[in-house]
Amino acid sequence: MTLLTSTLHNVEFQNCPESNKPDNLNASYHICQNAYTEIQSVTSYRRTWLTIAGGLFGFLVGFVLLLYIMHRHNVAQTKKTTKAINTAPPSVEDRNATAILLNNAA
């Protein structure tokens, strides 16, 4: 009897109702234990799903950030290449080719 009563006074079962009748003590202990176990399993399920959802959300944010950084890098490379092509002086062969085309037209 003292073992069962001391079990009821544990930290986990401190909110369980106490009964003065020995017949009801065992029944109320099992009811309380089942309720406590059910609450713990629901809490465990929530924690698991929140962990999975948080990890997935973090992965997606990181992936989108990586794609954005790669896009900005590609835009910068394209601008740099375009600027280098536009500022380069035409080579001698290009000027001669233009002159030949203009001479043939005449």
Side-chain angles (χ1 to χ4, degrees):
M1 179 83 152
T2 59
L3 179 64
L4 192 57
T5 306
S6 68
T7 308
L8 273 175
H9 292 291
N10 279 348
V11 174
E12 298 99 18
F13 301 110
Q14 66 185 357
N15 294 326
C16 293
E18 293 185 24
S19 176
N20 295 330
K21 297 179 183 178
D23 295 337
N24 289 338
L25 187 61
N26 197 23
S28 64
Y29 171 76
H30 287 299
I31 290 171
C32 185
Q33 185 181 20
N34 289 339
Y36 177 77
T37 305
E38 183 178 335
I39 290 170
Q40 290 300 319
S41 66
V42 167
T43 304
S44 175
Y45 293 146
R46 284 183 187 158
R47 187 179 307 123
T48 302
W49 280 110
L50 284 175
T51 302
I52 291 171
L56 183 61
F57 181 73
F59 171 77
L60 289 176
V61 167
F63 186 69
V64 168
L65 184 64
L66 177 70
L67 288 177
Y68 178 74
I69 290 170
M70 290 175 60
H71 170 72
R72 296 306 306 162
H73 177 72
N74 287 340
V75 167
Q77 290 296 100
T78 304
K79 282 184 180 179
K80 183 178 176 183
T81 306
T82 305
K83 186 177 179 182
I85 290 172
N86 288 339
T87 58
S91 64
V92 175
E93 293 85 19
D94 289 339
R95 277 186 265 142
N96 290 338
T98 306
I100 292 171
L101 289 175
L102 291 176
N103 288 338
N104 287 340

